[in-house]
Amino acid sequence: MANTLNTVTVDGVTYSAEDYAKQQTAAASSAVNANSALGKDAFLQLLVTQMQYQDPLDPQDNSEYLSQLAQFSALEQMSNVATALEKTNTLVSNIDTSMLVGQLSGMIGKDLQWTSTVAVTNSDGTAVTDSNGKAKTTTTTYEGTVTGVSISDGSPSIIAKGTDGQTYKVAISDITRVGTGS
């Protein structure tokens, strides 16, 4: 650190301007990787900090700033691609759900068998557990006829009228048989 004009002192520690800029770049990269929402702010803060602490008698090369801008631009584009992929994933998921609803609609009027698993509880409503601390459950098998299809929170399910006359909302994963027979 021959030139004292090219130094930065932070919390009692003196750095050369170049070392401090590298440290700030590493910190900003960590912030960008940890939380991409902070990417733009972290980059601009880094750029301003670098400009603030550069030696006016020996300014940094403009190509270094242009290189950083190019890297930031690439990061911005990757973030945009990630956002677009998330939207595409949602669209594909909606198409899959629509196709499933169409297939499930073909089940209306057919016989259905399903199971329902429920946690065993004490009279005070607390769960009964076995010796390993795992909640005890009971599984009941129901039969009925499909009367409709429902979508709640993006999850399709079957509406069935049980042989007991009650209407049930049956999760697709609980269906054990469609149609007659065993």
Side-chain angles (χ1 to χ4, degrees):
M1 289 188 220
N3 186 350
T4 58
L5 291 176
N6 271 343
T7 62
V8 177
T9 303
V10 178
D11 296 328
V13 178
T14 302
Y15 303 94
S16 71
E18 184 177 304
D19 288 344
Y20 183 74
K22 286 179 184 176
Q23 181 185 25
Q24 293 299 308
T25 301
S29 293
S30 295
V32 167
N33 290 337
N35 187 353
S36 61
L38 295 176
K40 294 176 187 176
D41 294 338
F43 173 77
L44 292 175
Q45 184 179 11
L46 171 66
L47 191 60
V48 168
T49 301
Q50 284 180 328
M51 294 176 112
Q52 186 178 15
Y53 289 109
Q54 74 174 328
D55 181 2
L57 301 175
D58 185 21
Q60 293 182 354
D61 186 14
N62 285 337
S63 64
E64 186 176 325
Y65 290 120
L66 290 175
S67 171
Q68 290 173 351
L69 283 169
Q71 289 175 351
F72 179 72
S73 178
L75 175 65
E76 177 84 15
Q77 290 304 315
M78 287 190 302
S79 295
N80 292 342
V81 167
T83 301
L85 282 174
E86 285 177 18
K87 289 179 181 177
T88 302
N89 185 32
T90 301
L91 178 65
V92 168
S93 178
N94 289 342
I95 290 171
D96 287 347
T97 300
S98 295
M99 289 176 58
L100 182 58
V101 167
Q103 291 171 344
L104 294 174
S105 296
M107 293 172 44
I108 294 176
K110 295 197 177 182
D111 292 334
L112 183 70
Q113 183 180 58
W114 69 96
T115 59
S116 176
T117 303
V118 192
V120 177
T121 58
N122 291 318
S123 58
D124 63 356
T126 59
V128 176
T129 57
D130 61 14
S131 60
N132 295 327
K134 185 177 175 185
K136 289 187 178 182
T137 59
T138 59
T139 301
T140 307
T141 300
Y142 298 93
E143 291 188 1
T145 304
V146 177
T147 60
V149 178
S150 172
I151 298 179
S152 297
D153 297 327
S155 286
S157 56
I158 296 288
I159 305 299
K161 185 169 189 173
T163 54
D164 59 2
Q166 291 186 351
T167 301
Y168 295 91
K169 184 175 179 180
V170 182
I172 304 302
S173 59
D174 291 342
I175 297 173
T176 56
R177 182 178 46 83
V178 177
T180 58
S182 19

